[in-house]
């Protein structure tokens, strides 16, 4: 009998409570995967002609994926609000404004890969509200460090559709089985190799990096015998790093002085997963999960990977 997402209900303290939310993520993933595969025939590729709060050109699929994700979070009945990369403000789900949980999401990470048929993903984390249930949730409910995260994960839309997640009791990967119309466990107990693998970074920015990162990287890739891979979608680069070892990094640079990646819906969920997979997640100044968020779309530098690789870059 195949093991499905229901396995999560037996994982750790928060598995049972997180199950409905993660099942909602699974439903959204199936809908988004279908949308991606049929987009070219529906005129859904390309830019939407508007900029998001990040100052980035929104792709039509960014907007459609965001709508799908919000609808599925609403249908769980357990989510009171969603903070999305694609929405400037926190989206309160009015019908469930008294529910316990908030979800932070990058609904379609790496969407610049879409026009070249490259891998993209969805990244999410779940926190429990701090405000009383009889109050309307607000953005302060989202400003919690990664140590408060109850669940986090990503969906990778590649040759297969994978959902990788953790409720604080290790990391497991589930692959969508179209024959049974469900996710089935394919990568139980994912753990990052502590040697070998790849370094993964946009070296096009290396002339603008600070803190001697370029020189450290030359040394690390030589002494630790790391190959180089960079997909340009955090989900794909992180997935390979957890499976094969090494380090993914997006340092601060002269253009992005606080780094490019967003703390609440990219760095924290990925940092949570990396620590749960036995790796290290750091900003160069502190562990990612110790950062106290101050704004919904705040950015941070990230160094995520095997301890030896991260330590060599941040020391
Ligand atoms: P660059 C995608 O836009 C993203 O947010 C991450 O998925 C990815 O790791 C990074 O930005 C890529 O940025 O500057 O290398 O294109």
């Amino acid at each position: 009998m195949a093991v499905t997402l229901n396995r999560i209900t037996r994982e750790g303290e928060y598995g049972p409570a997180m199950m409905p939310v993660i099942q909602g993520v699974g439903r959204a993933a199936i809908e988004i995967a279908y949308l991606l595969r049929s987009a070219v025939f529906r005129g859904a590729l390309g830019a939407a002609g508007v900029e998001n709060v990040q100052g980035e050109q929104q792709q039509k699929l960014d907007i459609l994926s965001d709508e799908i994700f919000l609808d599925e979070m609403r249908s769980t009945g357990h989510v009171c609000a969603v903070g999305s990369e694609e929405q400037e403000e926190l989206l309160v789900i009015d019908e469930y404004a008294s529910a316990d949980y908030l979800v932070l999401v990058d609904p379609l990470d790496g969407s610049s890969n879409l026009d070249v048929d490259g891998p993209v993903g969805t990244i999410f984390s779940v926190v429990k509200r701090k405000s009383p249930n009889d109050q309307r949730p607000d953005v302060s409910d989202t400003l919690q460090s990664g140590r408060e995260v109850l669940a986090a994960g990503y969906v990778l839309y590649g040759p297969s559709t994978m959902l990788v997640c953790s409720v604080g009791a290790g990391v497991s990967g589930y692959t969508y089985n179209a024959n049974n119309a469900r996710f089935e466990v394919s990568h139980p107990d994912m753990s990052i190799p502590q040697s070998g693998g790849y370094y993964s970074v946009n070296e096009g920015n290396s002339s603008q990096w600070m803190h001697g990162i370029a020189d450290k990287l030359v040394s690390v890739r030589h002494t630790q015998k790391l190959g180089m891979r960079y997909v340009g979608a955090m989900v794909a680069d992180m997935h390979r790093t957890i499976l094969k070892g090494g380090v993914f990094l997006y340092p601060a640079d002269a253009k992005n002085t606080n780094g490019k990646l967003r703390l609440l819906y990219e760095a924290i969920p990925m940092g949570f997963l990396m620590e749960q997979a036995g790796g290290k997640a750091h900003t160069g100044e502190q562990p990612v999960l110790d950062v106290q968020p101050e704004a919904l779309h705040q950015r941070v530098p990230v160094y995520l990977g095997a301890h030896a690789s991260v330590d060599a870059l941040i020391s």
Side-chain angles (χ1 to χ4, degrees):
M1 178 69 178
V3 177
T4 67
L5 281 177
N6 291 331
R7 175 181 192 246
I8 293 165
T9 53
R10 297 190 298 278
E11 290 188 341
E13 180 183 354
Y14 299 105
M18 292 293 98
M19 189 68 240
V21 180
I22 294 173
Q23 281 176 325
V25 173
R27 291 193 302 272
I30 295 166
E31 294 168 55
I32 292 170
Y34 175 75
L35 176 69
L36 295 175
R37 281 165 175 67
S38 58
V40 69
F41 304 115
R42 301 160 67 172
L45 285 180
V50 290
E51 267 192 6
N52 63 14
V53 64
Q54 322 290 340
E56 297 166 346
Q57 276 301 315
Q58 273 187 314
Q59 301 295 301
K60 294 173 190 172
L61 289 170
D62 283 321
I63 297 170
L64 294 170
S65 301
D66 191 46
E67 291 168 357
I68 288 170
F69 193 87
L70 180 62
D71 279 350
E72 289 302 346
M73 290 303 99
R74 176 182 290 110
S75 71
T76 67
H78 291 270
V79 176
C80 62
V82 174
S84 167
E85 173 176 313
E86 301 304 332
Q87 302 287 343
E88 184 161 6
E89 307 298 334
L90 181 71
L91 282 171
V92 176
I93 300 177
D94 292 325
E95 309 92 302
Y96 298 104
S98 62
D100 285 337
Y101 303 112
L102 292 94
V103 176
L104 288 308
V105 65
D106 179 355
L108 201 60
D109 169 66
S111 53
S112 57
N113 278 348
L114 289 168
D115 287 350
V116 295
D117 205 26
V120 292
T122 298
I123 309 172
F124 73 94
S125 68
V126 187
V127 294
K128 190 171 174 67
R129 68 188 298 163
K130 294 295 188 187
S131 58
N133 291 71
D134 60 3
Q135 280 183 10
R136 189 172 174 78
D138 66 25
V139 70
S140 65
D141 283 299
T142 68
L143 303 180
Q144 300 182 48
S145 81
R147 302 297 174 195
E148 305 286 330
V149 163
L150 300 181
Y154 57 79
V155 180
L156 175 57
Y157 307 101
S160 67
T161 299
M162 278 198 71
L163 194 164
V164 175
C165 62
S166 173
V167 292
V171 179
S172 292
Y174 301 81
T175 300
Y176 181 63
N177 183 341
N179 297 324
N180 300 328
R182 64 188 184 188
F183 282 94
E184 296 176 359
V185 73
S186 54
H187 298 67
D189 305 323
M190 291 168 63
S191 177
I192 184 170
Q194 292 300 332
S195 63
Y198 302 92
Y199 73 97
S200 184
V201 65
N202 182 343
E203 287 194 290
N205 298 330
S206 60
S207 62
Q208 304 195 43
W209 293 339
M210 300 181 276
H211 312 308
I213 291 296
D215 294 337
K216 288 178 184 175
L217 193 56
V218 170
S219 170
V220 167
R221 71 189 189 201
H222 174 67
T223 56
Q224 297 184 11
K225 297 181 175 49
L226 301 181
M228 190 276 182
R229 291 284 189 280
Y230 191 68
V231 177
M234 188 182 193
V235 172
D237 286 318
M238 271 291 297
H239 188 63
R240 183 201 53 254
T241 302
I242 293 175
L243 290 179
K244 302 296 184 183
V247 58
F248 167 79
L249 59 154
Y250 206 107
D253 60 40
K255 183 176 59 166
N256 297 301
T257 52
N258 291 316
K260 174 184 181 182
L261 300 180
R262 276 59 54 142
L263 174 62
L264 281 178
Y265 39 80
E266 290 175 323
I268 284 178
M270 290 304 199
F272 181 85
L273 287 170
M274 184 53 79
E275 287 200 359
Q276 286 292 319
K280 187 164 188 170
H282 212 270
T283 68
E285 294 180 357
Q286 60 183 308
V288 168
L289 301 190
D290 288 347
V291 178
Q292 178 51 51
E294 296 171 357
L296 187 58
H297 301 293
Q298 173 179 350
R299 299 170 190 257
V300 287
V302 292
Y303 302 80
L304 306 168
H307 283 261
S309 302
V310 173
D311 287 342
L313 290 169
I314 64 173
S315 55

